[in-house]
Amino acid sequence: MEVEEWVIKLVFPNGKRLDRGKNSVGLYAFLPTEMGKILLDDKWNQGILDCVPVAFIEAFTSLMKSIENAPISSLPPMFGFLPVQKSSEAKLNAVRESIKAKLVNENIVPCKSYMEQKFFQKPSEVSRLMPAFWNILGKAREEGMNLYNISSHGSINGIIQLGGMTLLLSRESHHISWLVNWNKELRYAVAQFFLPKSTQEAIGSYSKWRPLVECLYSSVNVHDYVKILIKLLSDDRKLALAFVHFLYNSFSKDYLTTEEVDSLCNAMPLIDNYGRLMSQRNGVLVPANGSRWLKLVGSNPWRGEGYVELGEDYLHSGYYAGVLTPGKEFVNFLKNHVKVADIPFLSPPNAAIPSVSAPLTKENVFLLLDWIRNLRRYGTQIPERFLTSIK
């Protein structure tokens, strides 16, 4: 008569009995054997093996969660019951793989929390914290910080990276309002978000929270934030322009040093006269509109030498984050730190100047003489083709 129903119960040894089982065949010790060898072709054994994965999962999860008062530290040894070692027998190994596949969907990993209730999570949903961070949490708890909901975040990476968005915290208290306001102009393009001003001030009022908070968020000052932004400007023309205004106004507020601004200006991309963002350049020309080089030369002979002709976007005043940038002061800033140049402070191109083939206007005569005088004063070598054309 065929057996229509199987009832399989697995019993896990504990304490001293656990040590006795080390030399047995472990999970499969209950199977009928012949001369010490499991009869894998036996119909009875095959039927039992088919039921083992489900029975094992039920038994293992019950064992893990049934010990109410056991500390979390006592639970890891229970994982010794898992069949982690591969078997030389294909049928037994198939049982092992089935158990493994079922375990990944079970809440079996004990997680430490700051409540009496034990919590178990799926293996893929947990992370291991560094001992140093546990020390910070312990100190924060001793100081009265509420840690009851910390496990709801899932992992530290989940706190820092929310859908690809980085959360930032101002390192300097007097930078908070400035960074928060400018971040409203820039954040959606670069996915960098500062914590609200009130939150940052609350953290700052309790200095002992600072080490914990800095583990969860990136702490920056104005210079750090600018360096982050430069790497994220991509091909966004409007963002690139807003960035330069942020740089100018931050420098005006003394949040950046001259050396920092010079370095940042050298690294940032510029909008050229075609509206393109240019990162590589050998020099920068002032916009053609109103320039002396256009008045004298009539075209741009520096283009082939890697010079960027600045776009007219930089000639206008700007209003960002509630701050007005005066156009004239902005251009002077670019001249001083981006090294935007015009005649007579431009190095001459290695090209002929078409305009000198005809009589020059009085104004252009003086402009050319002033240019040559300035080149000699600074010992600048005059390219042959340029020199030949003006003789």
Side-chain angles (χ1 to χ4, degrees):
M1 188 174 179
E2 294 292 331
V3 177
E4 297 182 357
E5 184 176 345
W6 302 80
V7 178
I8 303 294
K9 290 186 178 181
L10 296 185
V11 179
F12 290 99
N14 255 326
K16 294 181 179 179
R17 292 186 177 186
L18 182 60
D19 294 330
R20 265 189 271 158
K22 287 183 178 177
N23 296 323
S24 72
V25 288
L27 176 62
Y28 313 105
F30 55 84
L31 296 174
T33 62
E34 183 176 284
M35 301 295 290
K37 184 177 180 180
I38 298 175
L39 303 175
L40 295 175
D41 295 330
D42 183 86
K43 190 174 183 180
W44 174 263
N45 280 357
Q46 186 58 55
I48 294 176
L49 285 177
D50 291 342
C51 299
V52 166
V54 173
F56 180 88
I57 296 298
E58 291 180 357
F60 183 75
T61 54
S62 297
L63 175 66
M64 290 292 293
K65 300 177 183 180
S66 62
I67 311 175
E68 295 183 1
N69 298 321
I72 290 292
S73 59
S74 69
L75 298 180
M78 304 299 181
F79 286 89
F81 293 120
L82 298 180
V84 295
Q85 301 296 328
K86 287 187 177 181
S87 172
S88 58
E89 297 288 351
K91 291 184 178 181
L92 297 185
N93 210 44
V95 174
R96 171 185 174 273
E97 291 298 322
S98 180
I99 291 174
K100 179 182 176 182
K102 294 179 183 298
L103 280 175
V104 297
N105 295 315
E106 295 291 331
N107 296 320
I108 58 169
V109 181
C111 298
K112 186 172 181 178
S113 71
Y114 286 92
M115 293 182 285
E116 294 182 6
Q117 175 68 47
K118 284 191 180 71
F119 289 93
F120 294 83
Q121 300 286 352
K122 295 177 183 178
S124 61
E125 297 176 344
V126 297
S127 299
R128 184 175 182 179
L129 297 183
M130 297 176 63
F133 186 75
W134 277 120
N135 292 337
I136 293 174
L137 291 181
K139 292 177 181 178
R141 191 187 187 198
E142 290 174 4
E143 295 295 335
M145 188 174 182
N146 186 347
L147 301 177
Y148 292 137
N149 66 344
I150 194 168
S151 60
S152 65
H153 294 298
S155 70
I156 298 305
N157 287 336
I159 297 172
I160 297 176
Q161 300 294 335
L162 300 175
M165 301 177 186
T166 301
L167 298 180
L168 302 174
L169 183 74
S170 176
R171 187 181 306 142
E172 308 289 343
S173 60
H174 59 289
H175 290 178
I176 294 177
S177 295
W178 186 254
L179 289 172
V180 169
N181 290 338
W182 275 95
N183 184 237
K184 293 175 183 177
E185 296 281 355
L186 305 165
R187 62 181 179 175
Y188 293 108
V190 296
Q192 307 288 314
F193 291 80
F194 276 90
L195 293 178
K197 179 175 180 290
S198 58
T199 303
Q200 295 195 54
E201 289 176 343
I203 293 170
S205 66
Y206 195 55
S207 59
K208 293 183 179 179
W209 287 11
R210 194 77 188 194
L212 172 61
V213 172
E214 289 185 351
C215 286
L216 305 179
Y217 305 101
S218 298
S219 178
V220 300
N221 57 19
V222 172
H223 185 226
D224 298 328
Y225 183 50
V226 172
K227 289 195 295 183
I228 292 172
L229 292 177
I230 282 184
K231 298 177 182 179
L232 301 173
L233 292 180
S234 184
D235 297 322
D236 193 322
R237 173 179 169 179
K238 291 183 178 179
L239 179 62
L241 184 61
F243 171 82
V244 186
H245 282 268
F246 173 51
L247 200 60
Y248 163 78
N249 285 290
S250 295
F251 179 63
S252 300
K253 289 279 188 179
D254 292 328
Y255 293 154
L256 295 169
T257 67
T258 300
E259 292 75 17
E260 288 171 340
V261 169
D262 287 344
S263 175
L264 293 165
C265 284
N266 185 57
M268 70 181 182
L270 294 172
I271 305 169
D272 72 0
N273 57 313
Y274 294 109
R276 301 172 301 185
L277 274 181
M278 308 296 290
S279 297
Q280 303 296 325
R281 54 187 179 269
N282 294 326
V284 184
L285 302 176
V286 296
N289 186 14
S291 69
R292 290 189 292 271
W293 66 261
L294 181 66
K295 187 179 298 183
L296 175 63
V297 179
S299 61
N300 182 359
W302 290 273
R303 185 175 294 115
E305 298 182 12
Y307 277 65
V308 171
E309 181 184 331
L310 211 59
E312 293 190 13
D313 296 327
Y314 296 101
L315 294 177
H316 309 302
S317 300
Y319 189 79
Y320 298 90
V323 180
L324 176 67
T325 307
K328 185 176 181 180
E329 293 181 15
F330 190 49
V331 171
N332 288 335
F333 169 80
L334 296 174
K335 288 180 178 179
N336 292 331
H337 301 284
V338 184
K339 308 306 180 187
V340 178
D342 194 2
I343 293 174
F345 302 104
L346 270 172
S347 295
N350 187 21
I353 304 300
S355 60
V356 299
S357 60
L360 294 174
T361 64
K362 182 178 180 180
E363 183 181 3
N364 277 347
V365 168
F366 284 105
L367 188 56
L368 179 59
L369 291 175
D370 190 29
W371 192 9
I372 295 172
R373 187 183 305 113
N374 200 62
L375 294 173
R376 289 177 174 175
R377 180 186 303 159
Y378 291 100
T380 304
Q381 185 176 1
I382 301 177
E384 184 178 346
R385 293 177 63 190
F386 173 83
L387 185 61
T388 300
S389 71
I390 64 175
K391 284 183 178 179

